[in-house]
Amino acid sequence: MRSLLSAFAAVLMLAVTASSGFAADAKEHRVAIQVDQNDPAVMNLALNNATNIMEYYKSKNEAVQIDIVTYGPGLHMLRADTSPVHDRIKQIVNASFPSTIKFSACGNTKQGMEKHEGKAISIIPEAEVVPSGAVRLSELQEQGWSYLRP
């Protein structure tokens, strides 16, 4: 009788684990999105893409990691003084759970803009400065991330 109960408990545990989404082969969803234009339409399209991707996976009870990488003129998306989409970025970050969204600002571009403008440039708090936007995209792709350019 004891072995029958043990077998039943093992089958029950297996069924609960399989139905709750804890499968060992669950695919990781990771998407890198490039923004290299100082164009609010392109910036909003990138944010639309990110939102749609997060909503799709949320409807499937799955999460996705998204990194929006900006460089060149696209850095304006993440500049505290010139971003036309900062309020929208805040909203998307706050609504992203269970997914995660990250914003990477190119350090090379930031340094170049600071030299050209003769002043320090602040990046929005939701973003992180990376050494190079192009290198960041390349490294993410080498790690198996999907790539989008709106």
Side-chain angles (χ1 to χ4, degrees):
M1 183 69 167
R2 179 174 252 186
S3 64
L4 183 61
L5 285 175
S6 294
F8 178 73
V11 169
L12 183 61
M13 183 64 90
L14 183 63
V16 167
T17 302
S19 68
S20 62
F22 291 118
D25 61 350
K27 180 166 175 38
E28 286 188 16
H29 307 290
R30 301 174 301 175
V31 180
I33 301 175
Q34 171 183 328
V35 175
D36 63 355
Q37 298 175 52
N38 184 13
D39 181 348
V42 171
M43 295 172 191
N44 276 300
L45 182 56
L47 294 173
N48 290 347
N49 290 160
T51 300
N52 291 339
I53 291 166
M54 287 188 294
E55 288 300 318
Y56 173 79
Y57 286 115
K58 188 175 188 176
S59 75
K60 295 179 68 171
N61 292 322
E62 297 176 14
V64 61
Q65 295 176 51
I66 297 174
D67 193 342
I68 296 181
V69 181
T70 65
Y71 62 89
L75 185 68
H76 285 280
M77 180 179 190
L78 303 179
R79 282 183 58 161
D81 60 341
T82 61
S83 176
V85 293
H86 186 206
D87 289 338
R88 186 155 182 231
I89 289 171
K90 288 182 201 176
Q91 292 170 348
I92 290 171
V93 168
N94 290 335
S96 64
F97 184 82
S99 295
T100 57
I101 187 163
K102 179 178 181 178
F103 295 87
S104 297
C106 178
N108 288 334
T109 300
K110 182 178 179 290
Q111 288 176 358
M113 286 182 173
E114 288 173 336
K115 184 176 179 180
H116 177 74
E117 296 177 27
K119 64 177 183 175
I121 291 173
S122 295
I123 300 299
I124 63 173
E126 294 82 7
E128 171 188 339
V129 176
V130 296
S132 167
V135 170
R136 175 77 179 152
L137 281 171
S138 177
E139 289 175 345
L140 291 173
Q141 289 178 74
E142 289 171 354
Q143 295 168 19
W145 287 56
S146 299
Y147 166 80
L148 289 178
R149 182 172 188 245

